[in-house]
Amino acid sequence: MMQRWAAGLVYSNLFVAIVLGTLTASSFYILPTLDLAWYVPLSVFFGSHMLYSFHRLYKIDFIPRERLEARHRWMLGRGKAVRYAMVFSMFFGMLLLPNFQADAIIWLIPAGLVSVGYTIPILPSEDGWRRFRDIPYTKPLIISFVVSYFTLAFPVFEQQGIEAIFEGGFLRAFSERFLFLLAVTIPFDMRDMRNDHEAGLETLATEYGFKAAKRTGYIVITAWLVLVFWRLHESDYAWPFIVVPLALLAGLLLAYFVVSEKHSDLFYVYVFEGLILCYAILWSLLGILH
């Protein structure tokens, strides 16, 4: 029973929505210049649930049977219920819109187009229309950038205007979050290696193999750690602010050490997206205590 609930939480995209909503809420504690606005993480929760469900359902009937993973089979059996849940998320997301200024909504449009274009072909090319994910080696980069934009830049420009995201302090915080998210997103390229290869996608894993993608992840983790301690050194924070990145580093290294091609989709989601949840909660606690 517990395994069925755990699978349903992931395959229904509720878990990723909870993760991204929590990550957005953490931005209000990480950045001291922000005042907590409850409707921002809620809007990210509903928006991400709707968007990820759309990605999962789009042309799912065209996936060859031999390439169907457990998440696809779960969705095929519950497509109607998921569509109702998408309508529910859209409805409550629309109810939150009056809380936002028009400028904030306008600056969400570019990231929204990239998110939609990740699945639907909107890029013209010599061979016809392409998706953003069809651009070689960019899948984890696109995901990490868009998620960083929604969960960190959105709370900032919603309160302080778009000019605030070009300030040095914000750009360092954005780069740190982007690198952490990139470190936990690269393994999903490793997970999808077989399907991506059969679909003709060029990724680190399909072109250079599982181990090469893992080594790239280690490089990203190192860059993230250097950036975190550089930022903390300049801010002269106390020792608890050193413990948190070290704890996250230990979690990342352990996850990378044990991950293999044999692990299930649920393993990847709960381990690597779970690390995002830990990141959000730990940094939020430090922000509250500081």
Side-chain angles (χ1 to χ4, degrees):
M1 178 65 72
M2 286 297 296
Q3 187 173 3
R4 288 178 59 189
W5 278 99
L9 187 63
V10 170
Y11 297 150
S12 65
N13 298 305
L14 282 174
F15 184 69
V16 68
I18 292 169
V19 168
L20 297 185
T22 306
L23 185 61
T24 306
S26 74
S27 300
F28 293 95
Y29 300 103
I30 293 172
L31 299 174
T33 58
L34 294 180
D35 297 319
L36 181 61
W38 58 270
Y39 50 87
V40 175
L42 266 182
S43 66
V44 172
F45 170 83
F46 289 122
S48 57
H49 177 260
M50 184 176 62
L51 187 63
Y52 274 81
S53 298
F54 168 75
H55 286 328
R56 193 64 55 81
L57 283 169
Y58 181 73
K59 288 193 173 182
I60 193 172
D61 295 330
F62 292 86
I63 300 176
R65 183 175 297 275
E66 64 274 10
R67 283 172 48 196
L68 289 174
E69 302 287 350
R71 61 187 183 276
H72 300 129
R73 292 192 293 270
W74 188 95
M75 189 65 70
L76 283 170
R78 297 164 179 84
K80 188 175 182 179
V82 172
R83 288 182 177 89
Y84 281 129
M86 287 175 63
V87 173
F88 175 89
S89 292
M90 181 184 295
F91 174 75
F92 280 94
M94 295 291 287
L95 288 181
L96 295 173
L97 283 180
N99 292 289
F100 297 101
Q101 298 292 330
D103 287 349
I105 297 174
I106 288 172
W107 286 110
L108 284 176
I109 293 174
L113 287 175
V114 174
S115 300
V116 172
Y118 186 79
T119 300
I120 297 179
I122 63 173
L123 292 174
S125 70
E126 294 180 357
D127 302 322
W129 296 93
R130 302 179 69 189
R131 305 167 298 179
F132 280 103
R133 66 186 299 175
D134 294 325
I135 303 173
Y137 311 113
T138 59
K139 278 176 58 183
L141 294 171
I142 292 170
I143 294 170
S144 303
F145 184 85
V146 170
V147 171
S148 298
Y149 188 84
F150 277 125
T151 63
L152 188 64
F154 178 31
V156 171
F157 66 68
E158 191 274 330
Q159 286 190 19
Q160 301 175 353
I162 196 64
E163 301 84 4
I165 72 171
F166 299 104
E167 296 176 359
F170 171 80
L171 291 175
R172 285 194 295 272
F174 185 90
S175 300
E176 181 263 314
R177 176 166 296 188
F178 169 79
L179 287 173
F180 184 86
L181 291 173
L182 184 59
V184 298
T185 303
I186 287 174
F188 289 94
D189 260 8
M190 295 151 59
R191 177 199 67 180
D192 297 335
M193 183 171 62
R194 181 177 66 86
N195 275 348
D196 285 347
H197 184 267
E198 292 176 358
L201 299 181
E202 296 178 43
T203 69
L204 275 172
T206 60
E207 298 302 305
Y208 300 102
F210 192 93
K211 291 182 178 179
K214 183 183 286 193
R215 286 194 294 269
T216 303
Y218 284 129
I219 294 171
V220 173
I221 291 171
T222 303
W224 166 76
L225 191 66
V226 169
L227 189 58
V228 168
F229 278 105
W230 175 40
R231 186 163 62 90
L232 293 181
H233 173 72
E234 287 191 339
S235 304
D236 195 27
Y237 283 127
W239 65 266
F241 290 84
I242 299 175
V243 172
V244 166
L246 290 179
L248 292 170
L249 174 67
L252 280 168
L253 293 178
L254 179 61
Y256 265 78
F257 180 76
V258 302
V259 71
S260 73
E261 299 176 59
K262 298 179 181 179
H263 281 118
S264 68
D265 185 40
L266 291 180
F267 173 88
Y268 279 89
V269 171
Y270 276 118
V271 169
F272 291 102
E273 290 184 5
L275 281 168
I276 301 175
L277 196 59
C278 291
Y279 170 98
I281 292 171
L282 289 175
W283 282 115
S284 295
L285 289 174
L286 282 182
I288 293 170
L289 295 174
H290 183 58

